[in-house]
Amino acid sequence: MFDATFSSVFGTADSLVGAVSATDFLLCCGFSVALGAICAAVYMFRHNYTKNFVVTLALLPLIVQMVITLVNGNLGAGIAVMGVFNLVRFRSIPGSAKDIGSVFLAMAVGLATGMGFLGLAVLFTAVVALVNLLFVLTPFGRPREPGKMLRITIPEDLEYDGVFDAVLGRYAAELELVEVTTTNMGSLFQLTYQLRMREPGLEKAMIDELRCLNGNLKISLGMTPQARETL
């Protein structure tokens, strides 16, 4: 039964055009439309998109299927023709990596349905959809938070060793005390930390908790010199 997934509904590829019946052609068209809609849904998941591109992406498997049928099942000729079509689309409008990947996904589905490998097209689309879902929902490929410089002013009589560790540990994924200096004629100390936040948007909550521990003295948080150089 599993071997039937890798079999064409047209029989042999050498006699593709002669073997295409109206029923088989319409069946392939139905699969192309359905799988094209799935390709478009995979592209739209947690991604900015336009209606024009999504509709085009959904129709692309159907178009590729027709091209493959017209070139008598010749994959080389079909890919060459579709390559020209895609060059026209990306010649003047820059596409993102996901745009290009989605176009290739839709083309691959169209190639499979155009050759009659409907089960293979369904299996391939399902695998890509699941892998895309896995990558999008997990931290895979997520950029790290830029490094930040935290300066905390404390009274000279405060034993600072370990005082802020619990608070900073909740908000910072990486943390290092890099400098301790005196200020205000020696009446205050300034602790300088290099840290990397666990998530963006937690800065205010962290500073509010630190203010309760340092007597509401000055606290500053900014980017490290290394992080500024990357901007």
Side-chain angles (χ1 to χ4, degrees):
M1 180 178 179
F2 188 73
D3 292 339
T5 303
F6 302 95
S7 301
S8 173
V9 296
F10 299 133
T12 61
D14 294 335
S15 59
L16 174 61
V17 172
V20 174
S21 65
T23 302
D24 290 338
F25 177 75
L26 292 176
L27 179 64
C28 291
C29 287
F31 271 81
S32 295
V33 172
L35 295 178
I38 295 176
C39 292
V42 170
Y43 170 79
M44 291 188 294
F45 182 69
R46 292 193 177 182
H47 184 70
N48 296 326
Y49 56 87
T50 63
K51 183 176 178 64
N52 286 339
F53 186 74
V54 170
V55 171
T56 303
L57 193 64
L59 292 176
L60 190 56
L62 183 62
I63 299 171
V64 176
Q65 174 210 324
M66 189 62 185
V67 172
I68 293 299
T69 303
L70 291 176
V71 297
N72 201 22
N74 189 319
L75 287 179
I79 292 175
V81 172
M82 295 311 303
V84 173
F85 290 168
N86 283 288
L87 283 176
V88 172
R89 191 261 181 238
F90 289 107
R91 176 172 56 85
S92 58
I93 303 176
S96 67
K98 189 162 187 176
D99 291 349
I100 299 172
S102 299
V103 168
F104 279 114
L105 169 62
M107 286 183 61
V109 171
L111 290 173
T113 57
M115 296 294 295
F117 294 98
L118 304 183
L120 181 61
V122 172
L123 179 62
F124 174 70
T125 305
V127 170
V128 172
L130 289 175
V131 173
N132 178 78
L133 186 68
L134 177 65
F135 286 163
V136 171
L137 295 180
T138 59
F140 180 81
R142 184 179 301 166
R144 301 174 66 191
E145 280 291 299
K148 294 183 182 295
M149 187 77 71
L150 174 67
R151 292 182 174 88
I152 306 174
T153 302
I154 61 173
E156 63 174 339
D157 58 348
L158 177 65
E159 289 293 336
Y160 59 82
D161 188 23
V163 172
F164 306 105
D165 290 354
V167 174
L168 295 176
R170 287 199 300 271
Y171 294 99
E174 300 176 14
L175 174 68
E176 182 182 4
L177 178 62
V178 295
E179 188 179 40
V180 179
T181 59
T182 59
T183 183
N184 197 29
M185 302 295 293
S187 62
L188 300 173
F189 280 89
Q190 185 179 77
L191 311 181
T192 303
Y193 292 87
Q194 281 191 355
L195 55 85
R196 196 178 302 275
M197 302 296 293
R198 294 185 184 274
E199 297 178 15
L202 300 178
E203 292 82 0
K204 183 180 184 304
M206 180 183 69
I207 292 175
D208 286 342
E209 292 194 33
L210 292 174
R211 289 167 57 197
C212 298
L213 299 175
N214 79 327
N216 204 27
L217 295 175
K218 180 180 178 181
I219 297 176
S220 66
L221 179 65
M223 299 181 67
T224 62
Q226 296 86 351
R228 290 194 187 97
E229 292 175 359
T230 62
L231 296 178

